[in-house]
Amino acid sequence: MNPQSMIILYESIADLTHQMLVAANNKDWDKLVDIESHCTTYVEKFKECEAQVMAMTEVERAHQISLIQQILRDNRRIRELIEPNMQTLSSMIKNTSNERKLAKTYNVNPGD
C-alpha cells in the first residue's frame, strides 16, 4: 500500500470516529454501534496494510500525525460520553443480579 492510500485510510477512520462522537453526543447508541462496526472494518484493513507502507514524506507524516491525534481526541470524548451510561447499566445489572439472588434465597418471584 502506498503512503497516499494509507492517508486515505486514516482519513476514513478519522471521519468514522467523528461520526461516532456525533452519535454519542446525540445519545444515539444504536447508530454509534453501527458506525463502530464500520470503523472496525477499516481498522482491520489498516492492520493488514500497515506493514506494507512505504516511507512517507514529511507532509504525509504530518498529516498522518494530525489524523491520529484527531482520532484519539474523538475516542477520548466518546469514552467520556459513554462512561456514565456504562456505570448506570452496570448498576442496573448488579441490582437485577442481587434481586435474583434474594428471590432465590427466599423462594419468591421477583416483582411479586
Side-chain angles (χ1 to χ4, degrees), residues 72-90:
L72 292 174
R73 275 192 310 271
D74 287 349
N75 275 327
R76 182 174 35 253
R77 184 66 186 127
I78 291 166
R79 281 192 309 275
E80 289 170 359
L81 292 166
I82 290 175
E83 184 62 32
N85 293 306
M86 294 303 291
Q87 289 176 354
T88 300
L89 181 60
S90 176

Side-chain angles (χ1 to χ4, degrees), residues 2-60:
N2 65 40
Q4 188 57 36
S5 296
M6 201 64 169
I7 292 295
I8 291 169
L9 196 52
Y10 273 109
E11 288 171 343
S12 297
I13 293 169
D15 180 56
L16 287 169
T17 304
H18 183 72
Q19 290 178 41
M20 289 168 54
L21 176 58
V22 170
N25 273 322
N26 294 331
K27 298 185 185 324
D28 189 345
W29 309 122
D30 292 334
K31 186 172 184 177
L32 175 67
V33 170
D34 184 49
I35 298 168
E36 183 179 26
S37 70
H38 290 2
C39 190
T40 300
T41 301
Y42 280 90
V43 170
E44 290 302 318
K45 184 175 181 182
F46 170 79
K47 287 178 183 178
E48 291 170 10
C49 300
E50 185 178 30
Q52 302 170 9
V53 175
M54 302 165 103
M56 291 184 177
T57 66
E58 284 187 41
V59 171
E60 291 168 331

